[in-house]
Amino acid sequence: MPSPSPLSADDLATALTAGGSGWLVFSLAAILPILWAFAMIMHFARPYILRFLGTLTLRFGGDVWWLSYVLMRDALLTITLALSVIFLMPNLYIGLGLPLTAPLAAVVLLWAMVVKLIGDADDDRRTFQIVSVLLVISSVLYIVPQIYGLESHDQVDALKGIGLDWVPGALTAVGSDGTVNVLAWPILITSMVLFGLTGAALFVRFVMGLGRQSEAGVEANA
Amino acid sequence: MTPDQVSGLFDAGESFIEGTIAAALVALWLLTVALYLARPYMAANVGKFSLRLGADLWWIIYVALRDILLIQVFLGSFIFFYPDVVGGRDLPITGGLAAVCAFSVLLIKLVTKGDADLRWYRIQVLLLGLGATLYIVPYLLGVQVTQIGTDTSNQLAAFFVSSQNPNLALPLCYLSGAVVGLLALVAVIYNLRQGGAPKIGEES
C-alpha cells in the first residue's frame, strides 16, 4: 500500500488552521459542562454561603465573603453565556456537529440572566426560583447532549447491544454517518431568532428607561 | 506532514490535556483531604489573633480555599462522566465514583449545618477519605504502571485502567453520572423549597 503523500505548504497551513479551530471549539464544548457545573454549584450553594455569612463576627468579613461569592457566581454565568454564543454560529454548530440542543441552552441561559437583571434574585424568593428553574433547564439542554451525544460517538457499537446505538447520533447536530440531524436547522434558527429578540427587547427596555431611572434617582435623593 | 498526522497531532493534544487533568487530580485530592485534616490547626490559630478582623480573614480564607478545592476536584473529575474519554484514555477506573464522593460532600455541606454538625462532618470526612482512596489507588497502581511491563503490573493495569477494562469502566461511568444527576436534583429541590435561603435558626 503506498504511503500518503505529504501535504504542500498551503495545504498544510489550511489543515493546521482547520484542525486547530476544530480542536479549539471541541475543547470549549468539552469544557462547558465543567463551567456549567461550576456555575450551578455556585448558584445553588447560596444557603450554605448565607449560613456561613451568619457566623462571621464583623461586617467587613461578611462583605468580603458575600462580594467574593456574588462576583464569582455571576462571572461564571457570564463566561458560560459568552462561550455558548459559539453554538449560534452555523459553521461551527452544523459544520462540526455540536450538541443538538446547545443553541437552545444558550437562549434559556440568556433568559435566566435577563430575569436576574430585571428582578432581584438575591432578595426576591420568586425571582430566585425562576432563575433556578431556567438555569436547570439550560444546563440539562447542554450537558445531556454533550455527554451522551458528542462524547459517546465511540460507544455506538457497545450501545447497540441494548438498542441505544441511535442515542449519540440523535443528540448531536450531525449524526455518526455524517448526515445533518433533521432538528438541527430548526433549533438553530429558532434559537437565533429568540436570542436576537431577547437581546433587542433588553436593549429597548434599557434605552426607554434611561431618563426615568435618573429622574427616579434625583427624586429619591431629594 | 500527511493529513492523518495533522489529525493525530490534535488527538495527541487532547490526550495530553486529559492525562494532565488526571495527574493533577491526585494533587487536588491530597490537598483537599489535607485541608480538611488541618481544621484543628486552623481553629487553634483563630484564637491567637489580637484583632477580630485578622481572625475573620484567616477563617474565611481557610473555608474558601478548602471549599473551592473540593469544587475543583469535582469539576476536574467531570471527564469521568464522558464515555468516550473513559473508554479511550488511561484513567483510574473508579474516578467517577470518587467524583460522586466529592459531590456528596458538597451536597451535605448544602443541606446540613456543615462543620457545626459533628455527625455530618464526620460523614463528610469519611466520604472524602473514600473518594481520595478510590482515585489515588487505581491511579498509582493502574495508570502509573502501564509502562513497567511485568506480569503483575500488566494485571494491575488490566483491572485499574479504564481503557483496558471498559466492561467495568463504562457501566461505572454511566452509574456515576446518574448518581451525580440524582444528587444534583436533591440540591435543586432543596434550594427551590428554601427559596435560596437557609432555614430560620440555621445561621448561627
Side-chain angles (χ1 to χ4, degrees), chain A residues 64-133:
Chain A
V64 168
W65 178 255
W66 186 246
L67 172 99
S68 308
Y69 167 66
V70 172
L71 204 64
M72 207 184 289
R73 180 194 67 185
D74 293 350
L76 274 167
L77 281 178
T78 310
I79 292 168
T80 306
L81 178 67
L83 291 179
S84 296
V85 173
I86 61 169
F87 302 116
L88 299 174
M89 301 176 184
N91 262 351
L92 303 181
Y93 173 66
I94 302 283
L96 295 175
L98 296 174
L100 184 67
T101 47
L104 287 176
V107 172
V108 181
L109 174 57
L110 177 66
W111 288 347
M113 296 196 70
V114 168
V115 174
K116 266 175 90 82
L117 190 67
I118 62 180
D120 188 349
D122 280 323
D123 286 332
D124 182 33
R125 183 188 168 105
R126 189 84 190 135
T127 311
F128 176 81
Q129 286 171 336
I130 293 170
V131 172
S132 301
V133 170

Side-chain angles (χ1 to χ4, degrees), chain A residues 4-191:
Chain A
S5 56
L7 296 167
S8 69
D10 283 350
D11 288 344
L12 178 61
T14 308
L16 282 175
T17 310
S21 76
W23 183 77
L24 185 64
V25 172
F26 281 128
S27 298
L28 285 179
I31 287 167
L32 264 171
I34 297 170
L35 268 179
W36 260 115
F38 201 177
M40 298 295 277
I41 286 171
M42 293 305 284
H43 179 79
F44 287 112
R46 189 185 148 81
Y48 169 74
I49 299 289
L50 284 174
R51 200 179 294 125
F52 186 76
L53 191 65
T55 66
L56 297 173
T57 54
L58 282 178
R59 282 180 61 188
F60 177 76
D63 276 7
V64 168
W65 178 255
W66 186 246
L67 172 99
S68 308
Y69 167 66
V70 172
L71 204 64
M72 207 184 289
R73 180 194 67 185
D74 293 350
L76 274 167
L77 281 178
T78 310
I79 292 168
T80 306
L81 178 67
L83 291 179
S84 296
V85 173
I86 61 169
F87 302 116
L88 299 174
M89 301 176 184
N91 262 351
L92 303 181
Y93 173 66
I94 302 283
L96 295 175
L98 296 174
L100 184 67
T101 47
L104 287 176
V107 172
V108 181
L109 174 57
L110 177 66
W111 288 347
M113 296 196 70
V114 168
V115 174
K116 266 175 90 82
L117 190 67
I118 62 180
D120 188 349
D122 280 323
D123 286 332
D124 182 33
R125 183 188 168 105
R126 189 84 190 135
T127 311
F128 176 81
Q129 286 171 336
I130 293 170
V131 172
S132 301
V133 170
L134 286 172
L135 286 178
V136 170
I137 293 170
S138 181
S139 63
V140 169
L141 282 173
Y142 184 73
I143 293 174
V144 171
Q146 167 67 21
I147 293 181
Y148 299 109
L150 203 64
E151 295 288 349
S152 296
H153 271 312
D154 293 346
Q155 310 307 318
V156 170
D157 288 339
L159 291 170
K160 198 174 274 180
I162 50 172
L164 291 175
D165 51 319
W166 54 273
V167 171
L171 290 177
T172 43
V174 178
S176 311
D177 55 354
T179 54
V180 177
N181 194 312
V182 288
L183 293 173
W185 276 110
I187 284 176
L188 179 61
I189 291 168
T190 309
S191 303

Side-chain angles (χ1 to χ4, degrees), chain A residues 4-7 12 15-16 19-20 23 30-31 33-34 37-38 41-48 50-52 54-58 60-62 64-65 72 125 128-129 132-133 136 143 146-148 150-155 158-159, chain B residues 1-3 6 9-10 13-14 17 52-53 56-57 59-60 63-64 66-68 71-72 74-75 78 81-85 87 103 106 109-113 170 174 177-178 187-188 190-198 202-204:
Chain A
S5 56
L7 296 167
L12 178 61
L16 282 175
W23 183 77
I31 287 167
I34 297 170
F38 201 177
I41 286 171
M42 293 305 284
H43 179 79
F44 287 112
R46 189 185 148 81
Y48 169 74
L50 284 174
R51 200 179 294 125
F52 186 76
T55 66
L56 297 173
T57 54
L58 282 178
F60 177 76
V64 168
W65 178 255
M72 207 184 289
R125 183 188 168 105
F128 176 81
Q129 286 171 336
S132 301
V133 170
V136 170
I143 293 174
Q146 167 67 21
I147 293 181
Y148 299 109
L150 203 64
E151 295 288 349
S152 296
H153 271 312
D154 293 346
Q155 310 307 318
L159 291 170
Chain B
M1 281 177 108
T2 64
V6 173
L9 181 71
F10 292 109
E14 186 187 337
I17 290 174
R52 281 175 61 191
L53 175 67
D56 263 19
L57 285 179
W59 193 244
I60 288 172
V63 171
R66 184 193 68 182
D67 293 350
I68 274 292
I71 292 174
Q72 294 306 321
F74 172 69
L75 295 177
F78 228 84
F81 303 138
Y82 295 175
D84 283 355
V85 176
F103 196 73
L106 289 173
K109 279 174 179 291
L110 178 69
V111 300
T112 68
K113 288 180 187 171
L170 287 170
Y174 293 122
V188 170
Y190 175 81
N191 262 275
L192 291 179
R193 288 179 68 180
Q194 304 294 321
E202 276 190 5
E203 279 84 1
S204 58

Side-chain angles (χ1 to χ4, degrees), chain B residues 127 150 177:
Chain B
L127 278 169
T150 62

Side-chain angles (χ1 to χ4, degrees), chain B residues 37-136:
Chain B
L37 300 183
R39 185 185 156 84
Y41 167 77
M42 300 291 175
N45 263 310
V46 168
K48 293 177 185 169
F49 285 96
S50 53
L51 272 180
R52 281 175 61 191
L53 175 67
D56 263 19
L57 285 179
W58 175 261
W59 193 244
I60 288 172
I61 290 168
Y62 166 63
V63 171
L65 203 58
R66 184 193 68 182
D67 293 350
I68 274 292
L69 271 172
L70 181 59
I71 292 174
Q72 294 306 321
V73 165
F74 172 69
L75 295 177
S77 302
F78 228 84
I79 55 172
F80 294 98
F81 303 138
Y82 295 175
D84 283 355
V85 176
V86 169
R89 311 273 181 235
D90 288 353
L91 296 175
I93 197 158
T94 45
L97 294 178
V100 171
C101 291
F103 196 73
S104 303
V105 175
L106 289 173
L107 183 64
I108 290 171
K109 279 174 179 291
L110 178 69
V111 300
T112 68
K113 288 180 187 171
D115 300 9
D117 189 332
L118 190 60
R119 191 166 64 95
W120 281 108
Y121 186 73
R122 277 203 189 104
I123 294 173
Q124 285 183 48
V125 176
L126 287 174
L127 278 169
L128 274 181
L130 178 66
T133 308
L134 284 172
Y135 191 84
I136 294 172

